[in-house]
Amino acid sequence: DAKTTQPTSMDCAEGRAANLPCNHSTISGNEYVYWYRQIHSQGPQYIIHGLKNNETNEMASLIITEDRKSSTLILPHATLRDTAVYYCISGRDGGSQGNLIFGKGTKLSVKP
Amino acid sequence: GAVVSQHPSWVICKSGTSVKIECRSLDFQATTMFWYRQFPKQSLMLMATSNEGSKATYEQGVEKDKFLINHASLTLSTLTVTSAHPEDSSFYICSAFGVASYEQYFGPGTRLTVT
């Protein structure tokens, strides 16, 4: 079973920030938080990852709580092309040991 | 970023036949690749870990004699679905790690339909 929990679905208005929450209360000290997204009928796409500090890249920002039990992925200006299923995953070494377990994710619908 | 390709992108086959799906890392070498399966409206399920030059490691419940994996080179892994049945119809996705080990690159997936 996935070690994270996410809301099943969310809506966001185009141009507004999309804030996607994730709970990972059982995350261990050496596990990272990874975010991937999957646009319909395509392979997943890496977005961002973090250990305990907040992270930002050209796609998104990742805010991790101090106790590391939850995090939020922020898409600052959502576009229609951001409509996808977003997966929050906890794991070691980027999943190089095959330990990336995908949960059901959050289906984000960006509306005009 | 690194690119992983899959071929074919979709395939329809008759029940009882075998189908081979290729996964290639186009601009990097991948000692380890992963094969996932995704049924409609469900999440990705890891099937097996493909190791270059050695036998694949299968997840519990995945039949290794039915899903044959060969990792012949550092840029190619193949998944052969043998004696396919309609219940094997699914979206098969491979992945590999790029130079930075934290980023797993996924292929575009192969849609298999068994009639």
Side-chain angles (χ1 to χ4, degrees), chain B residues 49-95:
Chain B
T49 302
S50 170
N51 301 298
E52 187 268 337
S54 64
K55 292 183 179 180
T57 304
Y58 291 82
E59 294 299 300
Q60 191 173 9
V62 178
E63 300 175 58
K64 62 180 181 180
D65 294 330
K66 179 171 182 61
F67 299 98
L68 302 179
I69 292 174
N70 183 279
H71 198 144
S73 73
L74 289 173
T75 59
L76 173 64
S77 175
T78 61
L79 168 68
T80 302
V81 182
T82 63
S83 187
H85 289 284
E87 55 264 34
D88 298 324
S89 298
S90 187
F91 193 48
Y92 292 86
I93 306 169
C94 70
S95 72

Side-chain angles (χ1 to χ4, degrees), chain A residues 6-110:
Chain A
Q6 300 174 250
T8 302
S9 63
M10 292 182 63
D11 289 342
C12 177
E14 187 179 18
R16 304 297 292 271
N19 298 290
L20 291 87
C22 177
N23 286 321
H24 32 79
S25 58
T26 61
I27 193 170
S28 60
N30 61 353
E31 288 184 321
Y32 289 76
V33 178
Y34 300 90
W35 283 84
Y36 286 80
R37 73 179 182 183
Q38 186 177 26
I39 296 171
H40 183 63
S41 294
Q42 296 183 25
Q45 175 190 21
Y46 166 85
I47 301 174
I48 199 168
H49 78 289
L51 184 62
K52 53 183 179 182
N53 296 323
N54 297 337
E55 302 289 342
T56 296
N57 63 19
E58 64 278 5
M59 290 184 67
S61 295
L62 174 61
I63 308 298
I64 303 175
T65 58
E66 193 168 341
D67 62 7
R68 301 211 323 125
K69 292 185 177 182
S70 66
S71 61
T72 301
L73 178 74
I74 302 172
L75 306 178
H77 305 287
T79 69
L80 299 179
R81 287 179 294 181
D82 292 322
T83 292
V85 178
Y86 287 76
Y87 296 100
C88 168
I89 304 165
S90 63
R92 293 179 290 108
D93 303 326
S96 60
Q97 306 305 316
N99 61 344
L100 281 187
I101 300 174
F102 284 79
K104 296 186 183 300
T106 296
K107 184 175 182 179
L108 175 68
S109 297
V110 181

Side-chain angles (χ1 to χ4, degrees), chain B residues 1-104:
Chain B
V3 177
V4 174
S5 70
Q6 284 185 239
H7 178 79
S9 55
W10 61 271
V11 58
I12 301 173
C13 71
K14 292 186 177 182
S15 185
T17 62
S18 295
V19 175
K20 179 184 285 187
I21 302 170
E22 293 185 349
C23 175
R24 294 182 184 273
S25 55
L26 296 184
D27 51 1
F28 65 100
Q29 295 182 331
T31 56
T32 303
M33 291 184 174
F34 301 95
W35 286 95
Y36 294 81
R37 179 168 53 182
Q38 185 175 33
F39 292 109
K41 297 187 178 181
Q42 294 187 24
S43 189
L44 283 77
M45 294 294 293
L46 181 66
M47 298 176 66
T49 302
S50 170
N51 301 298
E52 187 268 337
S54 64
K55 292 183 179 180
T57 304
Y58 291 82
E59 294 299 300
Q60 191 173 9
V62 178
E63 300 175 58
K64 62 180 181 180
D65 294 330
K66 179 171 182 61
F67 299 98
L68 302 179
I69 292 174
N70 183 279
H71 198 144
S73 73
L74 289 173
T75 59
L76 173 64
S77 175
T78 61
L79 168 68
T80 302
V81 182
T82 63
S83 187
H85 289 284
E87 55 264 34
D88 298 324
S89 298
S90 187
F91 193 48
Y92 292 86
I93 306 169
C94 70
S95 72
F97 280 84
V99 175
S101 64
Y102 59 76
E103 191 168 342
Q104 189 170 159

